Amino acid sequence: MRWLWIDRIIDHEPNRRLVAIKNVSLAEEHLHDYIVDGQVVMPASLLIEGMAQTAGILVGTTSNFKEKVILAKITKAVFDRDVTAGDTVRYDATIDRIDEGGAATTGTLDRRVAGGDAWERIGRIELMFSHIDNNMAGTEFPEHNFVFSDNFKMILDAAGLGEYVCNSEGT
Amino acid sequence: MNRDDIFSKIQEVLDDALGVDEDEVTSEASLTADLGAESIDFLDIVFRIEKTFDVKISQGELFPENLADNAEWVADGKLTNTGLEMLKGRMAHVDFAAFESGDRSISKLGDAITVDSLVNFVEIKLAG
């Protein structure tokens, strides 16, 4: 099982944009190993992984998950604020360019302002993904696609995006 | 757009794609050997050149790809004469002279792609 760093997909514009959120909790053990000025902090590397999962799913949907989509490059990652327990973060990923070889995405990272519905921008992340195998057409999902495994399917189903998985199975 | 303008924009492209300083991006600098580009960077550079110059680049047009699949082009990990002639015909923007007279290992082919190669490519593309 792959470790998920997003909780829910909240918006999807096919072939263009995907938005996901994560609620950061003190129950996450890793936070207790990363304390800055007396406060637990979500490591930037895991925020990047959250964006990679958001953008990776978006790229995956464009081929109905027939392609194995692998994070190949962190082109840019800028963080203005820390994320801590109790925060909700929002990953908003957009495809800049995609072809047979892979995809380039840009994304913004927002944090919900405590006690309200407003969001503040706290980061920008640009990524490159590689389609490592162009011959995956017709392969059954998810058994033979180690990238988009069962727990990703759970998130997709919850967001009403299960149809993309079905299409990859040719059904 | 003249050659100097193209060079200047290519410097920006490589600055963004590879995180190198513009003064490292000299005309003769090799993308792999001097600027540290890896295979995924080539895709990044293709995307950025398309965006910067508003051109469409086909797979394998700017950088050689999938050569090893063809036994006529690559034998024992080295580019054959047939392969080299094919590349020269298909990739007029690259100067293969040093590669031709040196180690023809396919793994060294990327070293032949220089900043000048990219400028040549864009110049040809915009003229075409």
Side-chain angles (χ1 to χ4, degrees), chain A:
Chain A
M1 175 162 166
R2 190 161 165 189
W3 204 349
L4 290 176
W5 292 99
I6 56 176
D7 293 333
R8 182 182 296 169
I9 295 167
I10 60 171
D11 200 2
H12 178 231
E13 298 173 31
N15 302 324
R16 199 188 87 77
R17 178 171 168 260
L18 192 105
V19 185
I21 57 170
K22 171 177 173 55
N23 294 312
V24 180
S25 164
L26 269 179
E28 297 173 47
E29 285 188 22
H30 67 92
L31 284 181
H32 299 274
D33 295 326
Y34 206 77
I35 297 173
V36 178
D37 296 332
Q39 175 175 264
V40 297
V41 170
M42 175 98 172
S45 54
L46 294 178
L47 292 170
I48 293 172
E49 175 62 20
M51 180 62 80
Q53 293 184 0
T54 305
I57 288 173
L58 172 62
V59 174
T61 58
T62 66
S63 68
N64 290 330
F65 298 102
K66 289 173 184 168
E67 297 284 359
K68 290 176 180 171
V69 179
I70 297 291
L71 176 63
K73 176 176 172 178
I74 302 163
T75 310
K76 184 185 286 185
V78 178
F79 302 97
D80 306 319
R81 302 269 190 286
D82 286 333
V83 171
T84 188
D87 283 339
T88 299
V89 292
R90 181 174 65 186
Y91 300 101
D92 192 328
T94 302
I95 292 176
D96 271 352
R97 178 76 169 79
I98 187 165
D99 73 6
E100 304 92 333
T105 65
T106 54
T108 55
L109 178 65
D110 296 331
R111 181 177 67 176
R112 193 193 299 273
V113 176
D117 291 330
W119 295 85
E120 62 173 337
R121 177 69 31 87
I122 61 168
R124 292 155 299 283
I125 302 171
E126 298 177 17
L127 303 172
M128 291 284 302
F129 293 89
S130 176
H131 289 146
I132 62 165
D133 187 342
N134 286 323
N135 300 307
M136 292 299 292
T139 303
E140 192 176 357
F141 183 90
E143 286 81 4
H144 301 289
N145 192 327
F146 59 85
V147 179
F148 298 108
S149 51
D150 273 331
N151 49 1
F152 271 113
K153 187 173 183 301
M154 182 179 67
I155 282 188
L156 290 166
D157 283 340
L161 299 177
E163 61 183 293
Y164 288 92
V165 181
C166 291
N167 287 343
S168 78
E169 294 173 334
T171 57

Side-chain angles (χ1 to χ4, degrees), chain A residues 72-73 75 97 99-104 126 128, chain B residues 16-17 40-41 43-44 47-48 50-51 56 59:
Chain A
K73 176 176 172 178
T75 310
R97 178 76 169 79
D99 73 6
E100 304 92 333
E126 298 177 17
M128 291 284 302
Chain B
D16 290 339
I40 192 64
D41 295 317
L43 188 62
D44 193 5
F47 287 174
R48 288 175 189 277
E50 284 187 330
K51 198 171 179 180
K56 182 82 185 83
Q59 198 171 18

